[in-house]
Amino acid sequence: SQFLGQPVRIGEIVVNTKGWLPTLELRDVALLDAQARPVLQLPRVVGALSVKSIFAMQPRFAQLLIDGADLDVHRDVDGRVFVAGFEITAADADHRPLSNWLFRQHEVVLRNGVVRWRDALHPSEPQRFTDVQWVTRNSLRRHDLRIDVTPPERWGDRVTLIGRFTQPLLAEPADWRRWRGTLYASAPKVDVAALQPHFTLPAGLTQAHGAVRAWIDVAEGRA
């Protein structure tokens, strides 16, 4: 709670000490907002500690497995994006402690997740994304990631994003504005009419059905 600056509730902690470094299992983890409402719920988190924890003086994991995450993501009228109450678009590293910490872990795996998306720039009912699978592998300067997500049924079929990025040596890990690399996106079935209330599309594009694949070069946070 002190590290994140928001209340954290943990139902149970199990420690496995069979190896040289312990494996931690946290159950029924909830991150609460200022009104004590859960903005992130994690039924099960398993982390295999890394020897780097000794030198970093904070938990570092060879692998962090998050199973069954249920979280809220929203964008406000100023275009800022918040995940579980944390602003991921913040320019100041002091305002993204969780994302910086996550991108310092060697491997983060999220499986069987659910995400609810709210967008103040396109007011509508919150949209629910299911079967969210996320894998991120991080080193000193490199971030490789893959995201697979099932959107609302009327939007189309399952979407895949694959990214390979590098960052400057002294940059904060979560400062994506300084990343360079390639992002691949695949959407095998898209219904533009269903997307229109939720996204700013090119002028005149109101109806279309089809598949989309894109290879996007990214530099300094821009495509």
Side-chain angles (χ1 to χ4, degrees), residues 9-193:
R9 184 176 63 210
I10 302 173
E12 185 178 6
I13 301 176
V14 179
V15 181
N16 182 346
T17 57
K18 291 182 180 179
W20 185 55
L21 289 174
T23 297
L24 305 178
E25 180 173 347
L26 311 181
R27 300 171 183 170
D28 298 324
V29 180
L31 182 64
L32 311 179
D33 64 12
Q35 288 74 42
R37 297 172 302 191
V39 291
L40 174 62
Q41 293 179 298
L42 306 174
R44 180 170 175 262
V45 179
V46 180
L49 281 172
S50 165
V51 69
K52 293 180 181 179
S53 303
I54 300 172
F55 305 102
M57 299 301 291
Q58 62 175 234
R60 296 286 177 88
F61 293 95
Q63 184 187 65
L64 185 65
L65 169 64
I66 302 170
D67 199 2
D70 188 329
L71 72 157
D72 289 312
V73 181
H74 78 274
R75 181 167 59 172
D76 66 13
V77 293
D78 297 320
R80 299 179 300 171
V81 178
F82 295 83
V83 177
F86 291 94
E87 184 185 352
I88 64 171
T89 51
D92 187 349
D94 292 337
H95 290 85
R96 48 175 188 260
L98 180 58
S99 51
N100 271 326
W101 181 80
L102 283 173
F103 281 111
R104 286 190 175 103
Q105 311 311 309
H106 176 66
E107 182 177 75
V108 179
V109 178
L110 185 153
R111 65 186 186 188
N112 305 318
V114 174
V115 173
R116 283 175 299 277
W117 165 255
R118 295 179 291 115
D119 190 353
L121 297 179
H122 298 277
S124 63
E125 291 294 319
Q127 302 299 305
R128 189 170 183 267
F129 299 83
T130 58
D131 194 16
V132 178
Q133 315 286 343
W134 169 302
V135 178
T136 305
R137 294 186 177 95
N138 306 293
S139 58
L140 184 62
R141 295 188 56 208
R142 185 173 177 129
H143 306 289
D144 295 338
L145 62 89
R146 174 172 178 145
I147 304 170
D148 295 276
V149 57
T150 299
E153 184 176 0
R154 61 189 179 278
W155 287 23
D157 287 345
R158 192 162 175 80
V159 176
T160 297
L161 298 173
I162 299 174
R164 293 185 172 181
F165 304 100
T166 58
Q167 68 171 62
L169 182 61
L170 300 180
E172 289 289 336
D175 189 0
W176 55 268
R177 293 179 180 85
R178 303 187 66 184
W179 290 8
R180 288 179 172 269
T182 302
L183 179 67
Y184 166 75
S186 173
K189 180 182 177 182
V190 177
D191 184 347
V192 168

Side-chain angles (χ1 to χ4, degrees), residues 192-193 196 199-209:
V192 168
Q196 193 176 26
F199 295 94
T200 301
L201 300 176
L205 183 59
T206 59
Q207 292 185 343
H209 292 84

